[in-house]
């Protein structure tokens, strides 16, 4: 998912063959041999030009690749879409094989051009991967370089990397990537899933996913064409489902890669509601989504209604835009602001008409994580957290659900018998007037993961400071009661709620 904006509307180019593993292997070896990797690009371009390229700004990269090295040639060829002399390419790539299989094409008298974008992409463990996408679409997202063809396939965008970062990465038997696009999520899943299935409504996307996986040297995926869960057969279930769907709420389905084609936020709702029956026990489903803030309705209640039966859920709203901001973002994404102003205004009007008819006042964006559970009463957490976080968050999200299990299995008496330790890199801040004997309040702050901060009273601060896993919670509270002169029975009675909150939010971790 993601957007593009470029005036070029020429037909989409033919794609390279996906059934020539010999050519793909030779091409991969050649790219690696020339250091056409994420690290190689950073070293060649320098941090400012590399960052500019990630923002879809190509001028700094063009200036940095005016030399004659193999790496500079490959950057111009595959990332900047510049034609290069045949003789120079022949010294770096298996030219005839690449021409025959469609990776390159002849232009002009004696020059060659790439038929697809190939972007180096560093895997989480240092793997050298390559993301294939349509020309001019190596970077997805609003304002990106590219085109507005309906069937265009985008490369790596901020949404893609966000989803990859929040995904729980534990070894699984079967993973499903819904709406695979250029195959980024399938590529990540291939690291820890025995079997990967990738689906997309756009057959061009499935072809490009096959190229991405092959050029990255990973296992092939089971590629299936269709919308949402339509390609999933019979009673097939999965341990992991991920999707960066076309979540944009828009009037109509103008652009397949971003517009859901259902009314309002129905596509995201349908995706979430149908995921539950496709998950194995303990399996995770993780999505990026947009949702409507409707007049007279609590947005949190709206999202709670999406959660399928038998699933725990953690839903985090990261951003909210009013309807004007939202319409402007996606109109600019499509490049409409650069064309006929009357047409731009008409489309803007249509967007606002749609929102007005649905009584939508704003649109939220965030993450939805489901986990299939056998618990009698599943846990559903819906919260707003617009603050900075530390990616990757997969382990943080898995730990959140592990702590939910612990809290569900321990009543207050069992909680007081439990042992806890302070979470990693949690610090305490005291806030008050200079010179005051006591602080006005105490704040616990995480420097990892969700980077939360929460106020605690003096008992909570003292309790957290002592937790190193050696003493039970009850014994710690008895010691605090003696220090502050409070009845230990009363302290034991009123403190478990605070302990539960600190455990739920990750400030305290159970020692099992």
């Amino acid at each position: 998912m993601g957007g593009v904006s470029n005036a070029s509307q020429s037909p989409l180019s033919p794609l390279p063959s996906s059934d020539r593993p010999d050519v793909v292997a030779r091409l991969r070896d050649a790219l690696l041999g020339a250091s056409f990797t994420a690290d190689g690009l950073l070293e060649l371009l320098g941090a400012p030009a590399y960052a500019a390229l990630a923002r879809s700004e190509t001028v700094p990269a063009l200036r940095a690749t005016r030399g004659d090295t193999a790496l500079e040639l490959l950057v111009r060829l595959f990332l900047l879409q510049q034609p290069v002399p045949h003789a120079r390419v022949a010294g770096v790539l298996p030219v005839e094989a690449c021409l025959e299989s469609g990776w390159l094409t002849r232009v002009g008298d004696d020059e060659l051009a790439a038929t697809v974008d190939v972007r180096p992409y560093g895997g989480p463990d240092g793997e050298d991967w390559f993301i294939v996408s349509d020309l001019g679409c190596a970077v997805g997202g609003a304002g990106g370089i590219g085109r507005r063809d309906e069937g265009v396939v985008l490369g790596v965008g901020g949404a893609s990397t966000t989803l990859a970062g929040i995904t729980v990465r534990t070894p699984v038997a079967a993973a499903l990537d819904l709406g695979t696009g250029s195959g980024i999520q399938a590529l990540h899943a291939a690291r820890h899933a025995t079997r990967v299935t990738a689906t997309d409504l756009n057959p061009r996307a499935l072809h490009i996913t096959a190229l991405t996986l092959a050029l990255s040297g990973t296992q092939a995926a089971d590629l299936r064409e269709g919308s949402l869960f339509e390609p999933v057969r019979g009673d097939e279930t999965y341990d992991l489902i991920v999707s960066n769907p076309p979540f944009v709420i828009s009037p109509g389905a103008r652009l397949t890669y971003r517009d859901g084609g259902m009314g309002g936020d129905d596509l995201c709702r349908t995706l979430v509601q149908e995921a539950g029956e496709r998950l194995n026990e303990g399996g995770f489903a993780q999505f990026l989504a947009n949702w409507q803030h409707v007049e007279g309705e609590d947005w949190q209640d709206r999202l709670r209604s999406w959660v399928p039966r038998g699933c725990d859920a953690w839903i985090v709203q990261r951003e909210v835009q009013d309807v004007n901001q939202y319409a402007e973002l996606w109109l600019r994404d499509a490049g409409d602001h650069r064309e006929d102003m009357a047409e731009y205004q008409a489309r803007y009007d249509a967007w606002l008409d749609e929102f007005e008819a649905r009584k939508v006042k704003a649109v939220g964006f965030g993450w939805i994580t489901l986990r299939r559970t056998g618990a009698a009463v599943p846990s559903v957490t819906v919260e707003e957290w617009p603050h900075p976080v530390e990616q990757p968050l997969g382990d943080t999200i898995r730990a959140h659900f592990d702590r939910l299990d612990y809290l569900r299995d321990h009543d207050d008496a069992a909680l007081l018998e439990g042992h806890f330790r302070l979470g990693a890199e949690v610090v305490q801040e005291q806030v008050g007037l200079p010179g005051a004997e006591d602080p006005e309040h105490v704040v616990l702050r995480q420097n990892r993961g969700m980077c939360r901060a929460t106020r605690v009273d003096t008992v909570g601060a003292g309790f957290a400071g002592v937790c190193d896993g050696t003493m039970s919670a009850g014994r710690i509270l008895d010691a605090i009661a003696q220090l502050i002169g409070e009845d230990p029975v009363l302290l034991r009675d009123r403190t478990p709620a605070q302990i539960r909150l600190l455990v739920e939010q990750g400030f305290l971790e159970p020692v099992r």
Side-chain angles (χ1 to χ4, degrees):
M1 224 294 293
V4 290
S5 58
N6 189 294
S8 172
Q9 295 296 302
S10 57
L12 291 170
S13 62
L15 293 173
S17 171
S18 60
D19 58 2
R20 290 294 305 273
D22 56 326
V23 175
V24 172
R26 292 173 64 191
L27 176 57
R28 175 176 169 80
D29 288 343
L31 297 178
L32 295 177
S35 297
F36 187 65
T37 63
D39 289 341
L41 279 185
L42 180 59
E43 184 176 348
L44 170 67
L45 302 178
Y50 187 78
L53 192 60
R55 297 191 303 269
S56 309
E57 295 292 348
T58 59
V59 171
L62 285 166
R63 292 174 61 86
T65 56
R66 291 179 292 191
D68 202 35
T69 67
L71 180 54
E72 287 169 306
L73 179 144
L74 292 175
V75 172
R76 292 197 298 271
L77 184 65
F78 284 116
L79 277 182
L80 304 177
Q81 283 81 63
Q82 302 296 304
V84 294
H86 184 290
R88 287 291 298 119
V89 182
V92 180
L93 300 176
V95 168
E96 295 308 316
C98 287
L99 283 168
E100 180 187 349
S101 59
W103 289 92
L104 300 175
T105 187
R106 301 181 190 276
V107 294
D109 293 334
D110 194 28
E111 290 186 316
L112 301 175
T115 57
V116 288
D117 262 310
V118 176
R119 184 178 181 85
Y121 180 75
D125 291 327
E127 300 94 340
D128 289 317
W129 290 339
F130 299 97
I131 308 299
V132 180
S133 62
D134 272 312
L135 290 173
C137 301
V139 180
I145 56 176
R147 54 205 300 164
R148 291 184 288 123
D149 305 80
E150 182 179 344
V152 74
V153 179
L154 303 183
V156 183
S160 304
T161 54
T162 293
L163 179 58
I166 68 172
T167 300
V168 175
R169 301 294 176 192
T170 53
V172 296
L176 172 64
D177 175 16
L178 281 181
T180 188
S182 56
I184 301 162
Q185 308 309 324
L187 183 58
H188 278 275
R191 294 177 58 248
H192 61 103
T194 303
R195 176 171 57 87
V196 177
T197 301
T199 72
D200 206 288
L201 185 63
N202 182 2
R204 188 176 182 87
L206 296 175
H207 190 128
I208 284 182
T209 291
L211 297 176
T212 289
L213 296 175
L215 193 58
S216 297
T218 62
Q219 63 169 307
D222 178 4
L223 303 176
R224 303 181 189 177
E225 183 179 342
S227 178
L228 299 180
F229 288 97
E230 288 174 3
V232 179
R233 306 181 188 111
D235 59 353
E236 285 182 310
T237 55
Y238 300 87
D239 307 297
L240 174 67
I241 299 172
V242 293
S243 184
N244 176 21
F247 52 66
V248 176
I249 300 170
S250 61
R254 180 177 163 213
L255 299 172
T256 302
Y257 61 83
R258 69 164 208 196
D259 298 329
M262 296 186 185
D265 52 15
D266 282 356
L267 181 135
C268 291
R269 176 186 56 79
T270 301
L271 182 62
V272 173
Q273 289 181 335
E274 293 183 357
E277 64 184 19
R278 293 297 180 178
L279 278 178
N280 293 325
E281 185 74 20
F284 287 90
Q286 298 186 264
F287 315 104
L288 300 185
N290 274 178
W291 44 79
Q292 298 172 147
H293 286 229
V294 178
E295 186 178 338
E297 176 185 77
D298 186 306
W299 68 270
Q300 294 181 325
D301 289 342
R302 182 182 190 85
L303 289 172
R304 287 188 185 95
S305 74
W306 291 9
V307 178
R309 293 180 61 186
C311 287
D312 291 327
W314 184 16
I315 301 173
V316 182
Q317 179 167 273
R318 295 288 290 156
E319 185 180 358
V320 181
Q321 290 184 317
D322 66 48
V323 292
N324 298 327
Q325 291 174 311
Y326 190 80
E328 290 163 13
L329 170 68
W330 294 109
L331 286 167
R332 288 178 176 273
D333 168 83
D336 293 319
H337 62 302
R338 296 193 179 115
E339 298 186 355
D340 181 77
M341 187 51 61
E343 187 175 348
Y344 171 81
Q345 291 175 341
R347 284 181 171 148
Y348 199 151
D349 235 2
W351 224 302
L352 297 185
D353 285 344
E354 179 86 1
F355 284 136
E356 186 176 330
R358 295 178 177 276
K359 297 183 178 180
V360 176
K361 59 184 180 179
V363 177
F365 167 82
W367 319 324
I368 298 177
T369 299
L370 307 176
R371 184 189 60 166
R372 190 78 186 174
T373 179
V377 182
S379 168
V380 177
T381 301
V382 183
E383 63 175 321
E384 185 165 19
W385 190 253
H387 311 293
V389 298
E390 184 190 55
Q391 284 272 37
L393 281 168
D395 287 345
T396 298
I397 290 174
R398 179 178 51 81
H400 167 86
F401 287 94
D402 289 345
R403 293 192 302 270
L404 284 183
D405 287 341
Y406 178 89
L407 293 172
R408 198 155 38 200
D409 293 342
H410 290 72
D411 60 16
D412 286 356
L415 196 70
L416 293 176
E417 291 298 317
H419 293 239
F420 303 92
R421 68 166 64 93
L422 199 61
E425 295 195 34
V426 173
V427 297
Q428 176 180 301
E429 300 174 358
Q430 300 188 40
V431 181
L433 294 173
E437 184 174 343
D438 296 311
E440 292 179 18
H441 58 263
V442 178
V443 173
L444 297 181
R445 187 178 301 279
Q446 301 168 345
N447 289 319
R448 302 290 301 274
M450 292 294 288
C451 300
R452 295 186 186 277
T454 188
R455 276 193 190 189
V456 291
D457 59 20
T458 53
V459 171
F463 181 87
V466 175
C467 282
D468 61 2
T470 59
M471 294 174 61
S472 70
R475 287 187 59 195
I476 293 174
L477 289 179
D478 291 344
I480 292 175
Q482 186 174 2
L483 283 173
I484 64 177
E486 186 170 337
D487 184 335
V489 175
L490 293 178
L491 192 63
R492 278 175 171 253
D493 187 56
R494 70 178 175 85
T495 307
Q498 189 171 188
I499 295 174
R500 285 185 181 278
L501 179 63
L502 293 176
V503 172
E504 181 181 340
Q505 295 190 343
F507 291 96
L508 295 177
E509 298 173 352
V511 177
R512 310 187 193 218

